[in-house]
Amino acid sequence: MKKRVLITGVAGFVGSNLADRLLTEGDYEVTGLDNLAYGVIEQVPEGVKFHKEDIRDSSIVSLFEGSDFVFHFAAKNCISDCQLDPVETADINVRGTVNVFEAAKKACVKKIIYAESSAIYEGSDLLPTPETENKPQSFYSISKFSTMYFAEAYKRFYNLNSTALRYFCVYGPRQDYRRTIPPVFSSFIIKILRSEQPVIFGTGEKRRDFIHVDDINDFHIKCMTDSKTDNDVFNLGSGVNYSINEIYDTIASLLEYKNKPSYKPDLPGEAFANLADISKAKSLGWSPKVDLRTGLKSSIDFIKNEMKKGNI
Ligand SMILES: NC(=O)c1ccc[n+]([C@@H]2O[C@H](COP(=O)([O-])OP(=O)(O)OC[C@H]3O[C@@H](n4cnc5c(N)ncnc54)[C@H](O)[C@@H]3O)[C@@H](O)[C@H]2O)c1
């Protein structure tokens, strides 16, 4: 019998990629909800039973009934937007997440797998960073980190199993390119394909641990099949970091683009470097497989295709 999976934030980057993967594997029925605040309906794969709903609405419990697993990705997640509106950040990321746990509890789902973030390490100098570290600074990271305590309490008082995932910088097809300041990959690729000069904020020497969305999907599947992931937290990164200048050079070489980027003043509040200690996830037999050049090609193909369709 097919497993029934519910995904919140299914119209976003990570949610739509997971839905695609589950439907392609064929062993899953997928229901998805999203309020389309940031996601787009065109991104939801065919075959998903889609509901335009807000995670803060108590009526979502009816969608959870009959689900085996819930993946909770819906969030307000642009750090600078969150800094501008801490109240809405807490409302969506904390109250909304608790409402998702409550719905999962009432619907007796087997397990909820939810997105935390590597941003909770933003105040730490310890690299690579293990899961035992935490130094959230921004409203976004505090909102993400606090949900872990609710997850622990739902286990303690209601025996609801969960897994927390601390993604580093996830990239790949369907990555959000519509934001005012899009993630670096999308931003560089779009500008180069349009023959506009790409922009780097700061010196370009900040280093980031990038992980392809296919690799995190491998771990998502593991969360449903391996009980050793229950009630624990895992870093999901590649365990290698690159400077933004190195990323720029790789994209420019893949697109045979010769011009230099322009440098603008740094964005405030960003950590200088991140790097995941992934030994815990690796100890369960998972490891990242997509190398940077191959992964970047998949992002480039996606963006070229979106441009052809007139979406960009
Ligand atoms: N992409 C990354 O690199 C990364 C890194 C660390 C953590 N995360 C976390 O992973 C999760 C998925 O990230 P993503 O990149 O897919 O983000 P995304 O913005 O592409 O997707 C989030 C989705 O949630 C929806 N949403 C927002 N508020 C909602 C609400 N109140 N009710 C219902 N839907 C709502 C949005 O419309 C959007 O489609 C998020 O929780 C994010 O914080 C992502």
Side-chain angles (χ1 to χ4, degrees), residues 8-15 33-40 53-56 72-77 92 115-118 140 144 167-171 176 179:
T8 76
V10 74
F13 167 46
V14 174
L33 71 85
D34 200 299
N35 70 352
L36 303 180
Y38 306 100
V40 284
E53 294 287 350
D54 195 296
I55 52 165
R56 293 164 287 183
H72 173 45
F73 300 130
K76 184 176 176 75
N77 63 23
I92 298 174
E116 271 196 33
S117 171
S118 62
Y140 166 73
K144 284 283 173 181
Y167 307 119
F168 280 64
C169 303
V170 189
Y171 74 100
D176 186 2
R179 293 182 194 168

Side-chain angles (χ1 to χ4, degrees), residues 103-120:
K105 177 204 90 182
K106 284 184 176 151
C108 299
V109 306
K110 287 187 186 138
K111 181 172 175 182
I112 175 162
I113 297 113
Y114 67 101
E116 271 196 33
S117 171
S118 62
I120 70 155

Side-chain angles (χ1 to χ4, degrees), residues 2-7 29-33 60-71 103-104 107-112 160:
K2 289 190 178 187
K3 289 194 184 91
R4 282 173 292 190
V5 174
L6 182 134
I7 301 175
E29 274 175 24
V30 182
T31 299
L33 71 85
I60 58 169
V61 64
S62 63
L63 303 178
F64 284 54
E65 268 144 24
S67 299
D68 295 303
F69 297 97
V70 169
F71 284 87
C108 299
V109 306
K110 287 187 186 138
K111 181 172 175 182
I112 175 162
L160 175 59

